[in-house]
């Protein structure tokens, strides 16, 4: 190829994308067929590996499942801008959602999103995850108060909310969880006195 070849436009092998696919160009056949096949594989075979499939804001149904609660949590903590949101909202098992540990029945046992760029408020609906034994949301940008509803988590053993921007007082309801072994609320903007109910947490 000589320099003159660069002075001519390339062959007319592109056409404008259809409405709804702005910014993506498809090669005409036969190359275009290969491109389309690849795009369909990415979009439909592996959707959760690229981005979450949850539309925000998310309204809970009258009888929410644990999956519904997680979707609500995702939206309330700016899920679209999380560092990692692999498989969130996908049709796969909850155990495949990044940071979620769940059993085969969909019962959530742990939620670990340490340092994942969460922001916004912790939704009180997390208190509906009655099987949750570990909640680790430290090293994020969460604001607002600590929901008193976390005291409803009867299986809770580990609670880490340190290094956020949480405000308000420590809810005394946390003292209702005598099996709690780790309670880390440091480096926030909490105020008020430490509830005397926390003195009942003898396993800390």
């Amino acid at each position: 190829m000589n320099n003159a070849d660069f002075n001519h436009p390339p062959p007319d092998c592109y056409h404008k994308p259809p409405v709804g696919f702005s910014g993506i160009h498809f090669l005409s056949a036969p190359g275009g067929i290969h491109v389309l096949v690849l795009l369909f594989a990415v979009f439909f075979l592996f959707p959760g590996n690229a981005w979450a499939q949850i539309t925000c804001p998310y309204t809970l149904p009258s009888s929410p499942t644990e999956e519904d609660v997680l979707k609500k949590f995702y939206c309330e903590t700016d899920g679209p801008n999380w560092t990692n949101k692999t498989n969130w909202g996908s049709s796969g098992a909850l155990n495949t959602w990044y940071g979620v540990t769940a059993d085969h029945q969909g019962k959530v046992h742990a939620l670990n999103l340490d340092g994942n760029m969460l922001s916004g408020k912790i939704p009180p609906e997390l208190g509906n995850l009655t099987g949750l034994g570990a909640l680790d949301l430290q090293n994020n940008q969460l604001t607002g108060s600590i929901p008193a509803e976390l005291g409803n988590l009867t299986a809770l053993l580990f609670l880490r909310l340190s290094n956020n921007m949480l405000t308000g007082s420590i809810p005394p309801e946390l003292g209702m969880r005598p099996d709690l072994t780790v309670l880390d609320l440091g480096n926030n903007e909490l105020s008020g006195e430490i509830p005397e109910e926390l003195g009942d947490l003898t396993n800390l």
Side-chain angles (χ1 to χ4, degrees):
M1 180 180 293
N2 56 43
N3 292 336
D5 292 325
F6 291 98
N7 296 323
H8 297 284
D12 186 18
C13 61
Y14 294 92
H15 63 81
K16 293 182 179 180
V19 175
F21 291 86
S22 178
I24 302 176
H25 294 273
F26 298 90
L27 285 172
S28 298
I33 295 176
H34 297 157
V35 173
L36 284 173
V37 170
L38 177 60
L39 287 174
F40 274 107
V42 171
F43 277 98
F44 296 105
L45 297 181
F46 308 101
N49 292 329
W51 48 78
Q53 307 295 306
I54 301 173
T55 301
C56 297
Y58 187 80
T59 302
L60 287 175
S62 57
S63 299
T65 64
E66 301 216 345
E67 178 177 333
D68 290 322
V69 172
L70 289 179
K71 290 179 177 180
K72 177 73 171 179
F73 173 80
Y74 172 89
C75 289
E76 293 296 314
T77 56
D78 196 24
N81 291 310
W82 288 0
T83 301
N84 191 333
K85 49 184 178 289
T86 299
N87 280 342
W88 274 72
S90 72
S91 59
L94 294 183
N95 203 48
T96 67
W97 295 18
Y98 175 77
V100 176
T101 300
D103 59 29
H104 67 283
Q105 296 178 334
K107 192 79 169 177
V108 178
H109 294 290
L111 184 58
N112 182 2
L113 295 169
D114 178 0
N116 202 42
M117 287 294 290
L118 279 65
S119 62
K121 298 180 179 180
I122 302 172
E125 289 82 1
L126 275 188
N128 293 334
L129 301 178
T130 54
L132 193 65
L135 179 60
D136 190 346
L137 305 178
Q138 63 184 339
N139 301 312
N140 285 292
Q141 300 173 14
L142 295 169
T143 56
S145 60
I146 299 172
E149 288 79 2
L150 295 185
N152 297 334
L153 299 174
T154 56
L156 193 63
L157 298 175
F158 304 93
L159 178 59
R160 292 188 173 97
L161 302 176
S162 60
N163 297 310
N164 280 286
M165 295 178 285
L166 298 171
T167 56
S169 58
I170 299 173
E173 288 81 0
L174 293 181
M176 297 167 53
R177 304 275 59 87
D179 294 330
L180 198 63
T181 58
V182 174
L183 178 61
D184 187 358
L185 307 177
N187 293 321
N188 281 290
E189 300 175 15
L190 300 172
S191 58
E193 298 181 355
I194 297 176
E196 62 181 25
E197 289 83 354
L198 296 191
D200 296 330
L201 303 177
T202 57
N203 291 318
L204 291 178

